[in-house]
Amino acid sequence: MAKDTKVSMAIIRRLPRYHRYLGELLNNGVTRISSQELSKKMGVTASQIRQDLNSFGGFGQQGYGYNVKDLYDAITMILGLEKTYDSIIVGAGNLGQAIANYTNFQIWGFRLKALFDVNPKLIGLKIRDVEVLDVDLMEDFVSKNPIDIAILTIPKERAQEIADRLIAVGVKAFWNFSAVDINVPDDVIVESVHLSDSLFTISYRLNEDELFKKLKNK
Amino acid sequence: MAKDTKVSMAIIRRLPRYHRYLGELLNNGVTRISSQELSKKMGVTASQIRQDLNSFGGFGQQGYGYNVKDLYDAITMILGLEKTYDSIIVGAGNLGQAIANYTNFQIWGFRLKALFDVNPKLIGLKIRDVEVLDVDLMEDFVSKNPIDIAILTIPKERAQEIADRLIAVGVKAFWNFSAVDINVPDDVIVESVHLSDSLFTISYRLNEDELFKKLKNK
DNA sequence: TAGATTGTTAATCGATTAACAATC
DNA sequence: TAGATTGTTAATCGATTAACAATC
């Protein structure tokens, strides 16, 4: 089981989206915004925005609305984006390399310290100055270089084993791209991105009408 | 706005997970399972499993439970995985290539017909026999080769424009990896994978305890 | 001050869980 | 038949929306 959050996951998952929209407004030179204006832009209710924000404090001002920069900075802080996070990628295949190459994460304080793989052809390779190491060296590396977030881009067969090994050397958070649910102790965080699951909701929706026609005829 | 579904999205998003667990059981030679046994494996309530499945019909049998193969096949059908889907990837950078290389999607009937990019260095490149074409040829290609799903792995600045152009030539579903919400007509499906949003929920959770200490002191 | 808009309480809605009669 | 377990209705819970007093 992963750690329970003080604030509901429904709200937490909306925070990055608020952050994006406020960043955009800030870029466009907008200095203030009401919950109603923002709600129109985002396609949510003004009530929800006010409720969500008030889980963390009163960032607005009656009669005025919200100061865009202040609110953006507050959400940046709430999301923990004022800190830095050291991370490793386990699995230096296509997806692992793609994530390693995605420099945007670095901007937000997520620093990649190493990649690991079993494939001798990949070991020694450098991706944006970060080296691919033999996965046998993983525990040793993490013991010497404390790692906040382990990114798992490995086949599902190996995911639980790798997670267990990393938990044993103190890793407390996983970004899991393997097509399997990993089991971790209560104090360890897992955020999974199940790409196939996501894709299958598309095929479901492309077929839903036909599906219910089929089901009715039974 | 994207199309409303008959079944709630909460349920739809659980279907691929059922599918994974049942596939695993099937692989392990398990022939029958009760909602209670499955609930223990998956960490959900038996009640939820029965409610979810009964949105689509009665696949079980009183006193027996569910036949694993039958239920697996039923969910395969429900998810639309008995059909094939022609797709294109727009944006042949690291992430686009990683997805193109991920052969598992092909197994489930998702066929990649082409990639598109603006970068002359990428145009002409082949990824697993699929060619990267100039994005200028995109509409022409889609007009001649009907495409079910367009996968957007492009910078956020270009996402809406590309989506609009594809909608104009009849694309009805998008798998969007751009860090922006795209607006589409009612009859068009969008499934977004916002990687940064997902990552930021990790930094949030790593910081939550400290955050609330900070907030209390104000 | 008057108008606007928040912060917050109350009402509603939808999703999850519990319970149990139906039935294999 | 008796036991087990579904399918389904009813109860509960949590999240969303509405309403409005507080206040800038």
Side-chain angles (χ1 to χ4, degrees), chain A residues 151-165:
Chain A
I151 303 170
L152 306 182
T153 47
I154 43 181
K156 60 174 187 293
E157 292 74 19
R158 305 215 50 205
Q160 186 65 57
E161 177 225 325
I162 293 287
D164 290 342
R165 286 168 53 184

Side-chain angles (χ1 to χ4, degrees), chain A residues 108-171:
Chain A
W108 290 109
F110 299 88
R111 296 185 303 203
L112 183 63
K113 308 300 276 189
L115 294 98
F116 294 93
D117 209 288
V118 285
N119 186 345
K121 282 179 192 156
L122 293 174
I123 294 166
L125 187 74
K126 282 203 169 190
I127 294 157
R128 292 185 183 271
D129 289 333
V130 183
E131 202 173 357
V132 180
L133 304 174
D134 191 315
V135 76
D136 289 345
L137 306 174
M138 184 178 71
E139 284 97 328
D140 190 50
F141 183 93
V142 174
S143 300
K144 287 175 184 149
N145 307 274
I147 288 300
D148 301 297
I149 303 171
I151 303 170
L152 306 182
T153 47
I154 43 181
K156 60 174 187 293
E157 292 74 19
R158 305 215 50 205
Q160 186 65 57
E161 177 225 325
I162 293 287
D164 290 342
R165 286 168 53 184
L166 288 168
I167 290 166
V169 290
V171 172

Side-chain angles (χ1 to χ4, degrees), chain B residues 30-73:
Chain B
V30 180
T31 56
R32 70 179 256 201
I33 193 153
S34 67
S35 57
Q36 196 179 130
E37 288 172 283
L38 187 58
S39 79
K40 273 184 201 150
K41 280 192 190 297
M42 297 186 63
V44 298
T45 64
S47 215
Q48 181 167 76
I49 292 172
R50 295 205 299 278
Q51 286 278 24
D52 284 353
L53 297 177
N54 278 90
S55 316
F56 302 101
F59 301 110
Q61 196 172 298
Q62 280 99 330
Y64 175 87
Y66 299 86
N67 176 291
V68 172
K69 171 137 188 20
D70 290 350
L71 186 54
Y72 177 77
D73 289 346

